[in-house]
Amino acid sequence: MLQYFITSLPMMVSFFWLCILTVDCIKHFTMPHVRITIFATVTTILYACHFCYFNHLTQWLLVSDTLYSGATLAVFPLYYLYIKETCQGSPTTQEKLLSILPTAVISAAVALTYILMDDAERQTFFIQGLYGGKKLSFTGLPLLQSILHIAKRMVFVIQIPLVLYFGARLIRQYNKEVDKVYSDNDYRRMDVADTVMKVFILTCLVGFVCNIIGRYQFADNIALLAIPSVMFSILIFFVMYSAHMQRISIIELKKETSSQFPSNKAENTDNRQNIHTPSTEEEEVKPDTIKLLRQRIEQIMQEERPYLKPDLKISDIAMRLATNRDYIYQAINVQMGISFADYVNSLRIGNACRLLQENPSMTLSDVMVACGYSSSSTFYRCFRKYTGKTPAEYILAQKATP
């Protein structure tokens, strides 16, 4: 019973999230949802093949090992394509080909070689090759099959650092873009996915070691098999959980910000203020204008306190000043050296500290709402980030101060 549980755990986790993500895809039919659903499907197939192998279901080995060869090389590229679609937009043709080609070629070659083998050759390869680890002790078609399985391992090992490096870079770039636009960005950022990419490193090291050792070493050792089985199950859970929680992609982000904010020409006509910054068709804005714009932003923040508005966006400030989002970005990110999200949240937490000092009877929930936060987790995280203390620790420190 324990054998079946350990060997089926990654498959059950994958299938659970496949069902959840399929529902997400039906409700919100976007390309990132489609890609992560495909990823979940392939992952489920991969670990179903694992289940067949580790439970010695030899009658299914011809099919399962062929599918396993393709799925092994598909999971990492598919996850990268999901990250690319979410963070930057549609992958290029070259990226798609590099993701699909190794999988297609090796899985097709494995399938064809199995078909060309006779029953005796297949059984010999299953027993001595897949379960015995004797990869290069064959001749003819079994030797070719052994070479293909070694090639599969080599391609898999090459994929790991590439996906980790480029995937993590895309996530960091995407999070920076979100921070430029939104003050409340918890459900927009890919923080969970960023953490998952870091966890990937440890898990991939385990996968790398397992790949070098060979599956056959785990086939009859349930205690040894439990280690990668549990680790991969946890990783799969959080990979797909992060995708489930991701509410917006870069395409939707651009649509959202463009729909919230009309063209520059319309802004300058309908929302006239004391400052005018040139439109994108005019000459490049002067540093003095950006400096003046920064002063106006600071003045408005101090006098009108728009940062107390929940889900404040950089476009709201741009509309208030009848200027362009890009110039607001320059005034805050470049002139102040801080992201829009950090700027707004630092003001909010400053206001929260003032409220806690002046109104000690206020509940933290009331302070949170009064400062523009709709999420307690965001409030607590930001409070600790900008004060170095939790709200409770801050209150105690205030009481201890004479």
Side-chain angles (χ1 to χ4, degrees):
M1 192 65 177
L2 181 61
Q3 169 87 12
Y4 283 110
F5 175 75
I6 293 297
T7 55
S8 66
L9 186 59
M11 178 182 65
M12 291 189 296
V13 173
S14 299
F15 182 71
F16 168 78
W17 279 111
L18 173 58
C19 296
I20 300 295
L21 294 171
T22 300
V23 173
D24 289 346
C25 189
I26 293 170
K27 288 182 178 178
H28 312 285
F29 191 80
T30 64
M31 280 311 299
H33 282 101
V34 171
R35 291 197 186 281
I36 198 62
T37 304
I38 295 172
F39 169 79
T41 303
V42 174
T43 304
T44 304
I45 292 171
L46 171 67
Y47 287 108
C49 296
H50 263 285
F51 179 82
C52 291
Y53 175 83
F54 289 115
N55 288 286
H56 296 271
L57 302 178
T58 54
Q59 68 272 28
W60 295 102
L61 271 181
L62 176 59
V63 174
S64 66
D65 190 56
T66 302
L67 291 175
Y68 173 78
S69 299
T72 299
L73 298 182
V75 284
F76 275 96
L78 284 173
Y79 188 65
Y80 171 77
L81 291 179
Y82 159 72
I83 294 294
K84 179 67 184 289
E85 193 83 51
T86 301
C87 297
Q88 201 174 72
S90 183
T92 63
T93 303
Q94 291 85 348
E95 286 173 322
K96 292 176 183 176
L97 283 175
L98 285 173
S99 300
I100 296 169
L101 207 55
T103 301
V105 170
I106 291 181
S107 59
V110 168
L112 181 60
T113 305
Y114 272 136
I115 291 170
L116 294 175
M117 286 179 179
D118 57 36
D119 289 338
E121 287 176 321
R122 279 194 290 267
Q123 290 304 315
T124 301
F125 180 77
F126 291 157
I127 295 169
Q128 296 183 19
L130 295 184
Y131 287 104
K134 298 177 181 178
K135 294 294 184 185
L136 296 175
S137 59
F138 302 109
T139 57
L141 290 173
L143 176 61
L144 175 59
Q145 192 68 282
S146 295
I147 293 171
L148 290 172
H149 279 66
I150 292 170
K152 176 192 68 181
R153 287 186 185 184
M154 294 176 63
V155 173
F156 178 76
V157 169
I158 292 169
Q159 286 177 342
I160 293 174
L162 293 176
V163 170
L164 289 175
Y165 173 75
F166 289 106
R169 190 171 71 170
L170 285 171
I171 290 171
R172 286 194 296 270
Q173 291 172 350
Y174 173 79
N175 285 340
K176 285 181 182 178
E177 290 300 316
V178 171
D179 286 344
K180 289 179 187 178
V181 177
Y182 296 97
S183 58
D184 301 324
N185 51 26
D186 276 5
Y187 70 92
R188 297 181 175 100
R189 284 173 57 94
M190 294 190 74
D191 288 327
V192 178
D194 191 33
T195 303
V196 165
M197 294 299 285
K198 294 181 177 69
V199 176
F200 250 137
I201 297 173
L202 175 61
T203 313
C204 287
L205 286 174
V206 175
F208 176 77
V209 171
C210 294
N211 204 26
I212 295 298
I213 294 173
R215 284 194 301 168
Y216 68 94
Q217 300 281 10
F218 298 83
D220 297 308
N221 191 331
I222 191 64
L224 190 60
L225 179 60
I227 298 172
S229 181
V230 171
M231 289 192 68
F232 288 134
S233 297
I234 293 171
L235 178 65
I236 292 163
F237 183 90
F238 283 105
V239 164
M240 298 192 191
Y241 169 77
S242 69
H244 171 64
M245 294 302 293
Q246 186 64 33
R247 295 289 183 264
I248 193 169
S249 68
I250 194 68
I251 302 299
E252 293 162 308
L253 176 65
K254 290 177 179 178
K255 286 180 181 177
E256 188 174 313
T257 53
S258 63
S259 65
Q260 290 162 353
F261 196 55
S263 66
N264 298 332
K265 188 174 181 180
E267 289 163 7
N268 290 328
T269 302
D270 299 335
N271 299 284
R272 297 184 184 280
Q273 299 289 331
N274 295 330
I275 292 179
H276 169 72
T277 49
S279 66
T280 52
E281 291 81 11
E282 300 175 37
E283 74 236 19
E284 186 178 349
V285 65
K286 296 179 181 179
D288 288 345
T289 304
I290 293 297
K291 186 176 180 180
L292 180 61
L293 188 58
R294 171 186 173 174
Q295 293 171 356
R296 285 287 289 128
I297 292 169
E298 291 174 333
Q299 180 184 355
I300 287 172
M301 287 294 187
Q302 183 178 2
E303 295 175 357
E304 301 178 14
R305 299 198 293 177
Y307 56 84
L308 300 181
K309 172 188 173 184
D311 202 23
L312 181 72
K313 304 172 186 66
I314 198 169
S315 57
D316 298 328
I317 304 301
M319 291 185 73
R320 172 66 182 82
L321 292 174
T323 188
N324 184 286
R325 282 189 306 271
D326 293 337
Y327 302 136
I328 299 294
Y329 163 74
Q330 288 185 50
I332 296 175
N333 286 61
V334 179
Q335 280 277 322
M336 298 184 190
I338 190 172
S339 71
F340 178 71
D342 281 336
Y343 179 51
V344 170
N345 282 299
S346 64
L347 293 173
R348 286 175 173 173
I349 297 304
N351 188 68
C353 293
R354 181 182 61 79
L355 289 175
L356 290 173
Q357 292 170 9
E358 297 175 357
N359 304 280
S361 61
M362 281 186 75
T363 65
L364 289 176
S365 181
D366 290 338
V367 172
M368 177 191 80
V369 173
C371 293
Y373 289 103
S374 55
S375 165
S376 58
S377 61
T378 306
F379 172 66
Y380 279 83
R381 177 177 56 78
C382 290
F383 198 98
R384 189 177 187 88
K385 177 179 179 179
Y386 297 107
T387 67
K389 300 180 179 70
T390 65
E393 290 170 345
Y394 184 84
I395 293 170
L396 288 174
Q398 290 300 310
K399 289 179 179 179
T401 303

mmCIF file with all atom_site columns, all heavy atoms in Angstrom, residues 199-218:
data_model
loop_
_atom_site.group_PDB
_atom_site.id
_atom_site.type_symbol
_atom_site.label_atom_id
_atom_site.label_alt_id
_atom_site.label_comp_id
_atom_site.label_asym_id
_atom_site.label_entity_id
_atom_site.label_seq_id
_atom_site.pdbx_PDB_ins_code
_atom_site.Cartn_x
_atom_site.Cartn_y
_atom_site.Cartn_z
_atom_site.occupancy
_atom_site.B_iso_or_equiv
_atom_site.pdbx_formal_charge
_atom_site.auth_seq_id
_atom_site.auth_comp_id
_atom_site.auth_asym_id
_atom_site.auth_atom_id
_atom_site.pdbx_PDB_model_num
ATOM 1   N N   . VAL A 1 199 ? 13.183 27.504 -5.402  1.00 0.00 ? 199 VAL A N   1
ATOM 2   C CA  . VAL A 1 199 ? 13.030 26.135 -4.901  1.00 0.00 ? 199 VAL A CA  1
ATOM 3   C C   . VAL A 1 199 ? 13.395 25.138 -5.998  1.00 0.00 ? 199 VAL A C   1
ATOM 4   O O   . VAL A 1 199 ? 13.892 24.045 -5.725  1.00 0.00 ? 199 VAL A O   1
ATOM 5   C CB  . VAL A 1 199 ? 11.591 25.897 -4.398  1.00 0.00 ? 199 VAL A CB  1
ATOM 6   C CG1 . VAL A 1 199 ? 11.395 24.446 -3.956  1.00 0.00 ? 199 VAL A CG1 1
ATOM 7   C CG2 . VAL A 1 199 ? 11.269 26.837 -3.241  1.00 0.00 ? 199 VAL A CG2 1
ATOM 8   N N   . PHE A 1 200 ? 13.139 25.551 -7.252  1.00 0.00 ? 200 PHE A N   1
ATOM 9   C CA  . PHE A 1 200 ? 13.496 24.720 -8.399  1.00 0.00 ? 200 PHE A CA  1
ATOM 10  C C   . PHE A 1 200 ? 14.973 24.309 -8.340  1.00 0.00 ? 200 PHE A C   1
ATOM 11  O O   . PHE A 1 200 ? 15.329 23.195 -8.728  1.00 0.00 ? 200 PHE A O   1
ATOM 12  C CB  . PHE A 1 200 ? 13.270 25.500 -9.706  1.00 0.00 ? 200 PHE A CB  1
ATOM 13  C CG  . PHE A 1 200 ? 12.113 24.986 -10.514 1.00 0.00 ? 200 PHE A CG  1
ATOM 14  C CD1 . PHE A 1 200 ? 11.222 25.876 -11.096 1.00 0.00 ? 200 PHE A CD1 1
ATOM 15  C CD2 . PHE A 1 200 ? 11.919 23.641 -10.715 1.00 0.00 ? 200 PHE A CD2 1
ATOM 16  C CE1 . PHE A 1 200 ? 10.155 25.425 -11.847 1.00 0.00 ? 200 PHE A CE1 1
ATOM 17  C CE2 . PHE A 1 200 ? 10.856 23.175 -11.471 1.00 0.00 ? 200 PHE A CE2 1
ATOM 18  C CZ  . PHE A 1 200 ? 9.979  24.072 -12.035 1.00 0.00 ? 200 PHE A CZ  1
ATOM 19  N N   . ILE A 1 201 ? 15.809 25.223 -7.885  1.00 0.00 ? 201 ILE A N   1
ATOM 20  C CA  . ILE A 1 201 ? 17.250 24.958 -7.884  1.00 0.00 ? 201 ILE A CA  1
ATOM 21  C C   . ILE A 1 201 ? 17.556 23.735 -7.032  1.00 0.00 ? 201 ILE A C   1
ATOM 22  O O   . ILE A 1 201 ? 18.262 22.812 -7.470  1.00 0.00 ? 201 ILE A O   1
ATOM 23  C CB  . ILE A 1 201 ? 18.022 26.190 -7.371  1.00 0.00 ? 201 ILE A CB  1
ATOM 24  C CG1 . ILE A 1 201 ? 17.798 27.379 -8.316  1.00 0.00 ? 201 ILE A CG1 1
ATOM 25  C CG2 . ILE A 1 201 ? 19.508 25.876 -7.242  1.00 0.00 ? 201 ILE A CG2 1
ATOM 26  C CD1 . ILE A 1 201 ? 18.381 28.682 -7.826  1.00 0.00 ? 201 ILE A CD1 1
ATOM 27  N N   . LEU A 1 202 ? 17.016 23.727 -5.799  1.00 0.00 ? 202 LEU A N   1
ATOM 28  C CA  . LEU A 1 202 ? 17.249 22.582 -4.916  1.00 0.00 ? 202 LEU A CA  1
ATOM 29  C C   . LEU A 1 202 ? 16.649 21.310 -5.496  1.00 0.00 ? 202 LEU A C   1
ATOM 30  O O   . LEU A 1 202 ? 17.295 20.253 -5.518  1.00 0.00 ? 202 LEU A O   1
ATOM 31  C CB  . LEU A 1 202 ? 16.647 22.865 -3.533  1.00 0.00 ? 202 LEU A CB  1
ATOM 32  C CG  . LEU A 1 202 ? 16.698 21.707 -2.526  1.00 0.00 ? 202 LEU A CG  1
ATOM 33  C CD1 . LEU A 1 202 ? 18.142 21.315 -2.254  1.00 0.00 ? 202 LEU A CD1 1
ATOM 34  C CD2 . LEU A 1 202 ? 15.983 22.085 -1.247  1.00 0.00 ? 202 LEU A CD2 1
ATOM 35  N N   . THR A 1 203 ? 15.404 21.429 -5.971  1.00 0.00 ? 203 THR A N   1
ATOM 36  C CA  . THR A 1 203 ? 14.725 20.249 -6.496  1.00 0.00 ? 203 THR A CA  1
ATOM 37  C C   . THR A 1 203 ? 15.418 19.727 -7.746  1.00 0.00 ? 203 THR A C   1
ATOM 38  O O   . THR A 1 203 ? 15.511 18.512 -7.952  1.00 0.00 ? 203 THR A O   1
ATOM 39  C CB  . THR A 1 203 ? 13.259 20.574 -6.812  1.00 0.00 ? 203 THR A CB  1
ATOM 40  O OG1 . THR A 1 203 ? 12.696 21.275 -5.712  1.00 0.00 ? 203 THR A OG1 1
ATOM 41  C CG2 . THR A 1 203 ? 12.450 19.317 -7.067  1.00 0.00 ? 203 THR A CG2 1
ATOM 42  N N   . CYS A 1 204 ? 15.911 20.647 -8.569  1.00 0.00 ? 204 CYS A N   1
ATOM 43  C CA  . CYS A 1 204 ? 16.592 20.229 -9.791  1.00 0.00 ? 204 CYS A CA  1
ATOM 44  C C   . CYS A 1 204 ? 17.927 19.552 -9.486  1.00 0.00 ? 204 CYS A C   1
ATOM 45  O O   . CYS A 1 204 ? 18.362 18.676 -10.230 1.00 0.00 ? 204 CYS A O   1
ATOM 46  C CB  . CYS A 1 204 ? 16.811 21.425 -10.713 1.00 0.00 ? 204 CYS A CB  1
ATOM 47  S SG  . CYS A 1 204 ? 15.296 21.972 -11.502 1.00 0.00 ? 204 CYS A SG  1
ATOM 48  N N   . LEU A 1 205 ? 18.560 19.978 -8.402  1.00 0.00 ? 205 LEU A N   1
ATOM 49  C CA  . LEU A 1 205 ? 19.777 19.280 -7.994  1.00 0.00 ? 205 LEU A CA  1
ATOM 50  C C   . LEU A 1 205 ? 19.470 17.827 -7.641  1.00 0.00 ? 205 LEU A C   1
ATOM 51  O O   . LEU A 1 205 ? 20.210 16.921 -8.014  1.00 0.00 ? 205 LEU A O   1
ATOM 52  C CB  . LEU A 1 205 ? 20.408 19.994 -6.793  1.00 0.00 ? 205 LEU A CB  1
ATOM 53  C CG  . LEU A 1 205 ? 21.107 21.326 -7.080  1.00 0.00 ? 205 LEU A CG  1
ATOM 54  C CD1 . LEU A 1 205 ? 21.559 21.988 -5.792  1.00 0.00 ? 205 LEU A CD1 1
ATOM 55  C CD2 . LEU A 1 205 ? 22.292 21.131 -8.016  1.00 0.00 ? 205 LEU A CD2 1
ATOM 56  N N   . VAL A 1 206 ? 18.333 17.639 -6.937  1.00 0.00 ? 206 VAL A N   1
ATOM 57  C CA  . VAL A 1 206 ? 17.897 16.278 -6.610  1.00 0.00 ? 206 VAL A CA  1
ATOM 58  C C   . VAL A 1 206 ? 17.579 15.523 -7.897  1.00 0.00 ? 206 VAL A C   1
ATOM 59  O O   . VAL A 1 206 ? 17.960 14.368 -8.084  1.00 0.00 ? 206 VAL A O   1
ATOM 60  C CB  . VAL A 1 206 ? 16.665 16.298 -5.673  1.00 0.00 ? 206 VAL A CB  1
ATOM 61  C CG1 . VAL A 1 206 ? 16.142 14.882 -5.435  1.00 0.00 ? 206 VAL A CG1 1
ATOM 62  C CG2 . VAL A 1 206 ? 17.020 16.952 -4.360  1.00 0.00 ? 206 VAL A CG2 1
ATOM 63  N N   . GLY A 1 207 ? 16.846 16.207 -8.801  1.00 0.00 ? 207 GLY A N   1
ATOM 64  C CA  . GLY A 1 207 ? 16.499 15.593 -10.083 1.00 0.00 ? 207 GLY A CA  1
ATOM 65  C C   . GLY A 1 207 ? 17.732 15.255 -10.901 1.00 0.00 ? 207 GLY A C   1
ATOM 66  O O   . GLY A 1 207 ? 17.788 14.206 -11.558 1.00 0.00 ? 207 GLY A O   1
ATOM 67  N N   . PHE A 1 208 ? 18.726 16.162 -10.843 1.00 0.00 ? 208 PHE A N   1
ATOM 68  C CA  . PHE A 1 208 ? 19.966 15.933 -11.579 1.00 0.00 ? 208 PHE A CA  1
ATOM 69  C C   . PHE A 1 208 ? 20.680 14.684 -11.053 1.00 0.00 ? 208 PHE A C   1
ATOM 70  O O   . PHE A 1 208 ? 21.134 13.835 -11.823 1.00 0.00 ? 208 PHE A O   1
ATOM 71  C CB  . PHE A 1 208 ? 20.869 17.162 -11.448 1.00 0.00 ? 208 PHE A CB  1
ATOM 72  C CG  . PHE A 1 208 ? 22.218 16.998 -12.083 1.00 0.00 ? 208 PHE A CG  1
ATOM 73  C CD1 . PHE A 1 208 ? 22.366 17.081 -13.454 1.00 0.00 ? 208 PHE A CD1 1
ATOM 74  C CD2 . PHE A 1 208 ? 23.338 16.760 -11.305 1.00 0.00 ? 208 PHE A CD2 1
ATOM 75  C CE1 . PHE A 1 208 ? 23.610 16.934 -14.045 1.00 0.00 ? 208 PHE A CE1 1
ATOM 76  C CE2 . PHE A 1 208 ? 24.586 16.610 -11.885 1.00 0.00 ? 208 PHE A CE2 1
ATOM 77  C CZ  . PHE A 1 208 ? 24.723 16.698 -13.251 1.00 0.00 ? 208 PHE A CZ  1
ATOM 78  N N   . VAL A 1 209 ? 20.759 14.588 -9.722  1.00 0.00 ? 209 VAL A N   1
ATOM 79  C CA  . VAL A 1 209 ? 21.410 13.429 -9.096  1.00 0.00 ? 209 VAL A CA  1
ATOM 80  C C   . VAL A 1 209 ? 20.662 12.144 -9.450  1.00 0.00 ? 209 VAL A C   1
ATOM 81  O O   . VAL A 1 209 ? 21.254 11.126 -9.819  1.00 0.00 ? 209 VAL A O   1
ATOM 82  C CB  . VAL A 1 209 ? 21.501 13.604 -7.573  1.00 0.00 ? 209 VAL A CB  1
ATOM 83  C CG1 . VAL A 1 209 ? 21.982 12.317 -6.903  1.00 0.00 ? 209 VAL A CG1 1
ATOM 84  C CG2 . VAL A 1 209 ? 22.418 14.766 -7.227  1.00 0.00 ? 209 VAL A CG2 1
ATOM 85  N N   . CYS A 1 210 ? 19.308 12.219 -9.345  1.00 0.00 ? 210 CYS A N   1
ATOM 86  C CA  . CYS A 1 210 ? 18.492 11.043 -9.684  1.00 0.00 ? 210 CYS A CA  1
ATOM 87  C C   . CYS A 1 210 ? 18.674 10.644 -11.142 1.00 0.00 ? 210 CYS A C   1
ATOM 88  O O   . CYS A 1 210 ? 18.694 9.460  -11.490 1.00 0.00 ? 210 CYS A O   1
ATOM 89  C CB  . CYS A 1 210 ? 17.010 11.327 -9.411  1.00 0.00 ? 210 CYS A CB  1
ATOM 90  S SG  . CYS A 1 210 ? 16.617 11.557 -7.670  1.00 0.00 ? 210 CYS A SG  1
ATOM 91  N N   . ASN A 1 211 ? 18.812 11.662 -11.995 1.00 0.00 ? 211 ASN A N   1
ATOM 92  C CA  . ASN A 1 211 ? 18.981 11.417 -13.422 1.00 0.00 ? 211 ASN A CA  1
ATOM 93  C C   . ASN A 1 211 ? 20.316 10.733 -13.701 1.00 0.00 ? 211 ASN A C   1
ATOM 94  O O   . ASN A 1 211 ? 20.417 9.838  -14.550 1.00 0.00 ? 211 ASN A O   1
ATOM 95  C CB  . ASN A 1 211 ? 18.899 12.748 -14.179 1.00 0.00 ? 211 ASN A CB  1
ATOM 96  C CG  . ASN A 1 211 ? 18.481 12.548 -15.613 1.00 0.00 ? 211 ASN A CG  1
ATOM 97  O OD1 . ASN A 1 211 ? 17.816 11.584 -15.949 1.00 0.00 ? 211 ASN A OD1 1
ATOM 98  N ND2 . ASN A 1 211 ? 18.864 13.472 -16.477 1.00 0.00 ? 211 ASN A ND2 1
ATOM 99  N N   . ILE A 1 212 ? 21.350 11.172 -12.968 1.00 0.00 ? 212 ILE A N   1
ATOM 100 C CA  . ILE A 1 212 ? 22.675 10.571 -13.145 1.00 0.00 ? 212 ILE A CA  1
ATOM 101 C C   . ILE A 1 212 ? 22.691 9.144  -12.591 1.00 0.00 ? 212 ILE A C   1
ATOM 102 O O   . ILE A 1 212 ? 23.226 8.215  -13.214 1.00 0.00 ? 212 ILE A O   1
ATOM 103 C CB  . ILE A 1 212 ? 23.757 11.424 -12.449 1.00 0.00 ? 212 ILE A CB  1
ATOM 104 C CG1 . ILE A 1 212 ? 23.853 12.801 -13.124 1.00 0.00 ? 212 ILE A CG1 1
ATOM 105 C CG2 . ILE A 1 212 ? 25.097 10.711 -12.477 1.00 0.00 ? 212 ILE A CG2 1
ATOM 106 C CD1 . ILE A 1 212 ? 24.257 12.775 -14.578 1.00 0.00 ? 212 ILE A CD1 1
ATOM 107 N N   . ILE A 1 213 ? 22.105 8.980  -11.418 1.00 0.00 ? 213 ILE A N   1
ATOM 108 C CA  . ILE A 1 213 ? 22.074 7.649  -10.799 1.00 0.00 ? 213 ILE A CA  1
ATOM 109 C C   . ILE A 1 213 ? 21.291 6.668  -11.654 1.00 0.00 ? 213 ILE A C   1
ATOM 110 O O   . ILE A 1 213 ? 21.676 5.525  -11.849 1.00 0.00 ? 213 ILE A O   1
ATOM 111 C CB  . ILE A 1 213 ? 21.464 7.728  -9.377  1.00 0.00 ? 213 ILE A CB  1
ATOM 112 C CG1 . ILE A 1 213 ? 22.385 8.527  -8.455  1.00 0.00 ? 213 ILE A CG1 1
ATOM 113 C CG2 . ILE A 1 213 ? 21.234 6.340  -8.792  1.00 0.00 ? 213 ILE A CG2 1
ATOM 114 C CD1 . ILE A 1 213 ? 21.798 8.797  -7.086  1.00 0.00 ? 213 ILE A CD1 1
ATOM 115 N N   . GLY A 1 214 ? 20.141 7.161  -12.158 1.00 0.00 ? 214 GLY A N   1
ATOM 116 C CA  . GLY A 1 214 ? 19.278 6.293  -12.960 1.00 0.00 ? 214 GLY A CA  1
ATOM 117 C C   . GLY A 1 214 ? 18.047 5.858  -12.179 1.00 0.00 ? 214 GLY A C   1
ATOM 118 O O   . GLY A 1 214 ? 18.135 5.567  -10.979 1.00 0.00 ? 214 GLY A O   1
ATOM 119 N N   . ARG A 1 215 ? 16.910 5.798  -12.873 1.00 0.00 ? 215 ARG A N   1
ATOM 120 C CA  . ARG A 1 215 ? 15.661 5.412  -12.200 1.00 0.00 ? 215 ARG A CA  1
ATOM 121 C C   . ARG A 1 215 ? 15.731 4.012  -11.623 1.00 0.00 ? 215 ARG A C   1
ATOM 122 O O   . ARG A 1 215 ? 15.104 3.727  -10.592 1.00 0.00 ? 215 ARG A O   1
ATOM 123 C CB  . ARG A 1 215 ? 14.492 5.481  -13.189 1.00 0.00 ? 215 ARG A CB  1
ATOM 124 C CG  . ARG A 1 215 ? 13.993 6.865  -13.503 1.00 0.00 ? 215 ARG A CG  1
ATOM 125 C CD  . ARG A 1 215 ? 12.646 6.799  -14.196 1.00 0.00 ? 215 ARG A CD  1
ATOM 126 N NE  . ARG A 1 215 ? 12.684 6.048  -15.441 1.00 0.00 ? 215 ARG A NE  1
ATOM 127 C CZ  . ARG A 1 215 ? 11.605 5.655  -16.115 1.00 0.00 ? 215 ARG A CZ  1
ATOM 128 N NH1 . ARG A 1 215 ? 10.399 5.923  -15.634 1.00 0.00 ? 215 ARG A NH1 1
ATOM 129 N NH2 . ARG A 1 215 ? 11.714 4.993  -17.250 1.00 0.00 ? 215 ARG A NH2 1
ATOM 130 N N   . TYR A 1 216 ? 16.474 3.144  -12.279 1.00 0.00 ? 216 TYR A N   1
ATOM 131 C CA  . TYR A 1 216 ? 16.493 1.744  -11.852 1.00 0.00 ? 216 TYR A CA  1
ATOM 132 C C   . TYR A 1 216 ? 17.002 1.588  -10.420 1.00 0.00 ? 216 TYR A C   1
ATOM 133 O O   . TYR A 1 216 ? 16.662 0.632  -9.730  1.00 0.00 ? 216 TYR A O   1
ATOM 134 C CB  . TYR A 1 216 ? 17.350 0.911  -12.823 1.00 0.00 ? 216 TYR A CB  1
ATOM 135 C CG  . TYR A 1 216 ? 18.826 1.235  -12.788 1.00 0.00 ? 216 TYR A CG  1
ATOM 136 C CD1 . TYR A 1 216 ? 19.697 0.511  -11.985 1.00 0.00 ? 216 TYR A CD1 1
ATOM 137 C CD2 . TYR A 1 216 ? 19.340 2.259  -13.576 1.00 0.00 ? 216 TYR A CD2 1
ATOM 138 C CE1 . TYR A 1 216 ? 21.049 0.787  -11.960 1.00 0.00 ? 216 TYR A CE1 1
ATOM 139 C CE2 . TYR A 1 216 ? 20.694 2.552  -13.554 1.00 0.00 ? 216 TYR A CE2 1
ATOM 140 C CZ  . TYR A 1 216 ? 21.549 1.824  -12.747 1.00 0.00 ? 216 TYR A CZ  1
ATOM 141 O OH  . TYR A 1 216 ? 22.885 2.123  -12.723 1.00 0.00 ? 216 TYR A OH  1
ATOM 142 N N   . GLN A 1 217 ? 17.820 2.552  -9.938  1.00 0.00 ? 217 GLN A N   1
ATOM 143 C CA  . GLN A 1 217 ? 18.346 2.478  -8.573  1.00 0.00 ? 217 GLN A CA  1
ATOM 144 C C   . GLN A 1 217 ? 17.243 2.681  -7.534  1.00 0.00 ? 217 GLN A C   1
ATOM 145 O O   . GLN A 1 217 ? 17.380 2.280  -6.374  1.00 0.00 ? 217 GLN A O   1
ATOM 146 C CB  . GLN A 1 217 ? 19.437 3.545  -8.370  1.00 0.00 ? 217 GLN A CB  1
ATOM 147 C CG  . GLN A 1 217 ? 20.625 3.395  -9.299  1.00 0.00 ? 217 GLN A CG  1
ATOM 148 C CD  . GLN A 1 217 ? 21.581 2.305  -8.832  1.00 0.00 ? 217 GLN A CD  1
ATOM 149 O OE1 . GLN A 1 217 ? 21.266 1.532  -7.923  1.00 0.00 ? 217 GLN A OE1 1
ATOM 150 N NE2 . GLN A 1 217 ? 22.740 2.208  -9.464  1.00 0.00 ? 217 GLN A NE2 1
ATOM 151 N N   . PHE A 1 218 ? 16.140 3.310  -7.952  1.00 0.00 ? 218 PHE A N   1
ATOM 152 C CA  . PHE A 1 218 ? 15.038 3.589  -7.029  1.00 0.00 ? 218 PHE A CA  1
ATOM 153 C C   . PHE A 1 218 ? 13.905 2.573  -7.159  1.00 0.00 ? 218 PHE A C   1
ATOM 154 O O   . PHE A 1 218 ? 12.970 2.590  -6.364  1.00 0.00 ? 218 PHE A O   1
ATOM 155 C CB  . PHE A 1 218 ? 14.462 4.987  -7.303  1.00 0.00 ? 218 PHE A CB  1
ATOM 156 C CG  . PHE A 1 218 ? 15.453 6.103  -7.104  1.00 0.00 ? 218 PHE A CG  1
ATOM 157 C CD1 . PHE A 1 218 ? 16.353 6.444  -8.099  1.00 0.00 ? 218 PHE A CD1 1
ATOM 158 C CD2 . PHE A 1 218 ? 15.477 6.819  -5.919  1.00 0.00 ? 218 PHE A CD2 1
ATOM 159 C CE1 . PHE A 1 218 ? 17.267 7.472  -7.917  1.00 0.00 ? 218 PHE A CE1 1
ATOM 160 C CE2 . PHE A 1 218 ? 16.377 7.853  -5.721  1.00 0.00 ? 218 PHE A CE2 1
ATOM 161 C CZ  . PHE A 1 218 ? 17.275 8.177  -6.724  1.00 0.00 ? 218 PHE A CZ  1
#
